[in-house]
Amino acid sequence: DIVMTQSPATLSVSPGERATLSCRANQSISSNLAWYQQKPGLGPRLLIYDASTRATGVAARVSGSRSGTDFTLTISSLQSEDFALYYCQQYNNWPWTFGQGTRVEVK
Amino acid sequence: DVQLVESGGGLVQPGGSLRLSCTASGFTLSTYWMHWVRQHPGKGLEWVSRMNGDGSPTRYADSVKGRFIISSDNAKNTLYLQMNSLRGEDTAVYYCARGYYGSGVFDSWGQGTLVIVSS
């Protein structure tokens, strides 16, 4: 199975600041990567797919990028609704696998 | 609006069975790939199973293969997960999710239903 490694586990950021979340695959997954946001008690919400395409309704301050097997989710200016858990997921190889998550908390 | 509502979770003894349901609204379930994804307490996400309405083979994670069965009732626009021979490691919140245009991207999720396997 492809292993997805997210870093850091927890990111402490002040409102209005930039947040940069990382996700690394242990083998090539092309650009078949998605990012999800999860808040307590709710199912995940799709933010980004194909590494850099924003899902419908996602704010423009959220962006994704790829460099080889390294992927980045950037939130340019954190709003209160952005403090949450974030997961990356590869869908290049079966079984599809998720990273262990990065929690973005208020500094 | 697209909505997915799971139900059927609860407490079950090891070796027991449970059937989860996911009722869809705002779209026709049979025209999409539909998935079950689970989240162990305080842990990350694990894809469990998928099916779609075009007759493509269903797929399962190795951890549930031979014990879980995914199915649907198109008249009720409802997805099911029959879980047999349950183990402690099956304890998790189970989500149904819609696949985005046949890809491995999950574009809509339910709120989840909790399954606890314990004696």
Side-chain angles (χ1 to χ4, degrees):
Chain A
D1 296 2
I2 293 180
V3 176
M4 307 300 294
T5 303
Q6 290 187 243
S7 61
T10 302
L11 186 61
S12 298
V13 186
S14 299
E17 290 188 342
R18 174 188 296 259
T20 303
L21 289 68
S22 297
C23 175
R24 173 174 291 176
N26 69 343
Q27 65 185 81
S28 175
I29 58 169
S30 188
S31 293
N32 295 314
L33 182 109
W35 289 94
Y36 302 88
Q37 177 194 64
Q38 187 178 30
K39 295 183 177 179
L42 299 177
R45 173 197 176 203
L46 176 65
L47 297 177
I48 298 284
Y49 62 96
D50 293 347
S52 61
T53 302
R54 269 190 300 274
T56 303
V58 175
R61 65 179 182 275
V62 178
S63 62
S65 63
R66 171 198 173 195
S67 176
T69 58
D70 291 330
F71 299 84
T72 301
L73 179 72
T74 302
I75 307 173
S76 60
S77 177
L78 275 166
Q79 306 298 304
S80 58
E81 60 266 30
D82 299 326
F83 293 97
L85 198 53
Y86 292 83
Y87 292 98
C88 62
Q89 175 234 339
Q90 68 82 21
Y91 48 96
N92 193 67
N93 286 43
W94 289 100
W96 299 322
T97 49
F98 294 83
Q100 76 280 22
T102 291
R103 182 176 303 280
V104 178
E105 64 176 25
V106 178
K107 185 175 182 179
Chain B
D1 280 1
V2 171
Q3 192 172 15
L4 297 167
V5 179
E6 301 95 336
S7 60
L11 175 63
V12 60
Q13 291 190 338
S17 297
L18 209 56
R19 189 179 80 158
L20 306 183
S21 300
C22 168
T23 300
S25 58
F27 71 101
T28 301
L29 189 144
S30 62
T31 61
Y32 286 83
W33 283 12
M34 295 298 299
H35 306 262
W36 289 98
V37 179
R38 68 185 180 183
Q39 186 168 34
H40 298 102
K43 302 288 186 182
L45 298 159
E46 178 190 17
W47 172 83
V48 172
S49 183
R50 82 119 208 252
M51 74 172 295
N52 70 347
D54 69 357
S56 299
T58 55
R59 296 197 74 149
Y60 299 91
D62 286 347
S63 57
V64 307
K65 199 173 294 182
R67 301 187 298 122
F68 289 12
I69 300 171
I70 190 171
S71 64
S72 66
D73 183 332
N74 292 337
K76 295 182 178 180
N77 219 34
T78 299
L79 181 74
Y80 301 102
L81 186 68
Q82 177 68 41
M83 304 186 297
N84 302 320
S85 302
L86 282 162
R87 307 166 180 167
E89 55 264 37
D90 296 318
T91 294
V93 175
Y94 285 75
Y95 298 99
C96 66
R98 190 178 77 169
Y100 180 70
Y101 293 125
S103 74
V105 177
F106 310 117
D107 69 350
S108 295
W109 298 65
Q111 86 289 349
T113 187
L114 176 61
V115 173
I116 300 173
V117 183
S118 175
S119 54

